[in-house]
Amino acid sequence: MNIARLTWWRGSWPLRAMSTSFWLLPLVLVALGGLPVLLLQPSQILDTGPAPVAALQVSYAVSDVGAPPSDSAGWSRVALPHYRLLGRDGPQLASWYRVEFDGDASSEEPWAAYLPYLYNGGTLWLNGAPMASVLSSQPDLHVRWERPFLVTLPAGSLKPHGNVLVLRLSPAAGASILRIPRLEVAPLRVLMPVYDRRLFWVRTMPQITVAVGILLPCFVLFIWWRRRSEVLYGLFGVATLLWAVRTLTFVFEVIPQSEWRWWRVSYHAATGGFVIVMALFALRFAGLNRPLLDRALVAYALVGPLWLLLQGPGADALVGYVWGGGLIPVGLGAVAATAWVAIMRREKTAALLLIALTLAACAGVHDYMMAYGALPLSRWLPEWSQQRFFLLHHAANLLLLVMGGLLTQRFIDALAAIQTLNHTLEDRVAAREAELADNYARMAVMQREHVAGEERRRIMRDLHDGLGSQLFILLSRVERGVVQPRELSQSLRACIADMRLSLDASAAQDAGLESALADFLYRWRPLLGEAGVALRWHIDVVEPVSSLSARATLQLLRLLQEAFTNVVKHAGARSVAVDVVTTVDLLTVTVADDGHGFEPGASDASDRPGRGIANMRARAAALHGRLTISSGTDGTCLRLELPRVESGAGAVVVA
């Protein structure tokens, strides 16, 4: 073989599957570790000296008497294990088994008789004296003992030779067969380990299965209830619960006769339901979603329980033989679906589930053959078949353990994927935040540059339209010689005042509204003083949250200029007071004089304040504010209210 072919073989899937699934071997051995012990006879388990297990000679008779029959009862030699077919008609007579053996009279240690099973109970005599009694089926009770029995034989009751152990077995009502296992008589110390092991696997393990099978589905089904898309969790929870119900038959061995019918119906329903749910789990795991096939499987699961419910307990064996046999192809189909996934996907989880399903399917076939007396099993494995040890409830436990492990690993993988996704999202969010912060910084710079450019263009436009126009008109009149020196001086003062208003409004962006108002009022104080008007002002402005834009500041200053002009020209006032106050919602500007007042709507002529008031109202509207004017004989009060609106880091007044 060349190196290339050797490399391909080492990397091929069959070898990888073998290597990845090799660690499953200890798990399988743990699950099946007790079976070889149960297969062996006590004499093969412990070497305790020469012939520790007594040789038995067994005779069999049928009689309806209540005490051991006499020698003339027609005893016939048989070999254990032994079974007797019961007729459905006629009286059901008891089966009697007489076991003769030689004891060890010199030994003081107790001996015992060991029975791997005794389904319908019975009564035991030793040397003619009653020794033990196991409850048998009664008219009001149905008994099926799955556990082993160990009956202690006191040393003093044994004889050196010719000990006789008699066992009476009574058939249960409606039973079709009466069985007795191979009985072993040996020292108690020899039989006790065998009894304990079988008791653990047949009795204790089912109790553990029922306890776990009832508690675990509560958590798994809750996960499925909150996440309905996770169908595998729901199927696993239902399968575990069904298997717990089915295993109850190994826990409750004495059932009232009136409830026996429903007990067997629930047993078959749980058995069929478990197999069907396993098949559905395998199909979902393989990604094969076939609603028609699902409904057909569920319908078949209901056939057996309904059949037994309609026919009664007498049809129990027939239902198990016919309908239960039909569950075997269903289980094999689940194995085939899982094998297809293992081959196509080459996944460790599929290989693990395939091993568990294969073991469960083989155990189901074994139990079916064991229950319904198939001859091949007794021919191929005679020592094993006489133990009547059922494997499915152990293989099913292993299967459920594997399924739970797969779902747990799936849950862990989902958490790991979410954690990785969270880390990736955190990195992406951090990168996007940094990118947005950089973009925001660039946009802020661009916005500031845009605002500055707009402000420069506005100033240039105001200078061109206002001051530039006035200077151009004044220059034209001067060149024509139609301007008197006093008029020229007043026009130049007005141009300078208008220029200063524009400069103050622009400087307010840096120095603040309070500084711009103070500069404006400071320049007007001497002008008002020349007209005989005293100026008082009070400014209570919180900076910088009440900052006005340069355009809004210019409108406000021009509005105040109009107000002062009206005071000087028309009011005849001796004093004027200006109050500027900011509140949570408003910026309020109040101008009050002590002049003779006027009628606000009386005139709109140029020599009356009406035109100036119209200009002030227009400016207030441009500021989205409200202008209120009240005038009377005691003076005029002008009140301007501007709303404050949150914008950016501080509060500004919308211009």
Side-chain angles (χ1 to χ4, degrees), residues 60 82-93 95 97 119-120 137 142-144 170-180 257 260 264 313-321 370-373 388:
Y60 164 72
H82 182 261
Y83 67 91
R84 169 190 162 202
L85 296 177
L86 303 175
R88 295 184 177 275
D89 300 325
Q92 299 293 328
L93 302 180
S95 294
Y97 293 90
Y119 294 138
N120 195 46
S137 294
H142 193 103
V143 173
R144 182 176 175 83
S170 298
S176 59
I177 190 171
L178 191 60
R179 298 178 182 273
I180 181 173
Q257 195 68 46
W260 177 249
R264 295 304 294 173
D316 191 3
L318 182 61
V319 171
Y321 180 74
M370 183 75 75
Y372 297 103
R388 290 191 61 81

Side-chain angles (χ1 to χ4, degrees), residues 101-267:
F101 65 96
D102 293 336
D104 188 359
S106 62
S107 175
E108 295 182 356
E109 66 174 330
W111 279 45
Y114 169 70
L115 293 162
Y117 55 88
L118 195 62
Y119 294 138
N120 195 46
T123 306
L124 189 69
W125 286 264
L126 176 62
N127 295 328
M131 183 59 59
S133 179
V134 179
L135 179 65
S136 299
S137 294
Q138 306 293 329
D140 58 340
L141 291 177
H142 193 103
V143 173
R144 182 176 175 83
W145 301 105
E146 298 287 348
R147 69 180 72 186
F149 291 94
L150 187 64
V151 180
T152 302
L153 308 177
S157 62
L158 295 178
K159 299 183 295 184
H161 304 285
N163 294 290
V164 177
L165 191 67
V166 179
L167 183 62
R168 181 182 187 272
L169 304 182
S170 298
S176 59
I177 190 171
L178 191 60
R179 298 178 182 273
I180 181 173
R182 177 189 292 184
L183 185 144
E184 299 290 342
V185 179
L188 181 61
R189 61 182 174 84
V190 176
L191 298 176
M192 183 60 74
V194 182
Y195 168 79
D196 288 340
R197 289 188 180 93
R198 185 174 181 106
L199 183 67
F200 172 78
W201 290 102
V202 175
R203 181 69 176 170
T204 306
M205 184 59 73
Q207 292 174 339
I208 297 174
T209 300
V210 171
V212 176
I214 293 177
L215 294 177
L216 182 60
C218 297
F219 300 97
V220 179
L221 292 177
F222 178 76
I223 295 176
W224 172 77
W225 178 60
R226 298 301 302 271
R227 298 283 297 175
R228 296 297 180 87
S229 59
E230 298 293 339
V231 180
L232 292 180
Y233 286 91
L235 293 175
F236 173 69
V238 173
T240 305
L241 187 60
L242 288 173
W243 192 248
V245 174
R246 194 254 190 192
T247 310
L248 287 175
T249 192
F250 297 95
V251 177
F252 298 101
E253 298 166 309
V254 179
I255 305 297
Q257 195 68 46
S258 59
E259 303 297 333
W260 177 249
R261 181 180 187 178
W262 296 102
W263 182 256
R264 295 304 294 173
V265 168
S266 65
Y267 171 81

